[in-house]
Amino acid sequence: MALKCDGCKAYCCRLIGKVMPELDDGSGSCLYLKDNKCQIYDHRPEICDTDRLYERYFVGKMTKEEWVELNRKSCQDLKAQFEEV
């Protein structure tokens, strides 16, 4: 089971600068985000790869299903925040 992107318009990528300043393009967005697509997707940082994050930090702390649901909910929350603006 993997998190499936539903075309969310890269909301998390537009806030990555708050978490990883080294990826900030100056506006808070990821410097590798162009036209809502990651330009380094195959080599993206660990924080951008939910499967790698799960395997490294969350195996044994929650099930993969719980992890996917947590991330899905986070995506929905981000989407709601952007749509309020």
Side-chain angles (χ1 to χ4, degrees), residues 2 5-6 9 11 13 16 18-19 24 26 41 45 50 61 71:
C5 178
D6 66 354
K9 301 182 182 167
Y11 296 123
C13 301
I16 196 71
K18 293 182 178 186
V19 179
D24 193 334
Y41 186 82
T50 59
K61 296 179 180 166
N71 280 273

Side-chain angles (χ1 to χ4, degrees), residues 12 16 19-20 23 44-50 52-53 71:
C12 57
I16 196 71
V19 179
M20 306 231 5
L23 296 177
R44 66 195 182 276
E46 186 175 69
I47 195 168
C48 302
D49 187 329
T50 59
R52 283 185 7 218
L53 280 176
N71 280 273

Side-chain angles (χ1 to χ4, degrees), residues 4-5 10-12 17 19 21 28 33 36-38 46 48-49 53 56 59-60 75 78 82-83 85:
K4 292 185 177 145
C5 178
Y11 296 123
C12 57
V19 179
L33 182 66
N36 287 331
K37 294 187 182 187
C38 179
E46 186 175 69
C48 302
D49 187 329
L53 280 176
R56 183 164 183 171
V59 167
C75 289
L78 281 173
F82 273 92
E83 290 177 352
V85 175

Side-chain angles (χ1 to χ4, degrees), residues 45-80:
E46 186 175 69
I47 195 168
C48 302
D49 187 329
T50 59
D51 289 329
R52 283 185 7 218
L53 280 176
Y54 177 75
E55 293 300 325
R56 183 164 183 171
Y57 300 105
F58 298 100
V59 167
K61 296 179 180 166
M62 64 179 71
T63 66
K64 183 73 180 244
E65 291 79 14
E66 291 169 325
W67 172 249
V68 168
E69 180 58 24
L70 181 67
N71 280 273
R72 188 192 62 73
K73 173 78 170 90
S74 295
C75 289
Q76 287 178 332
D77 292 347
L78 281 173
K79 183 177 181 179

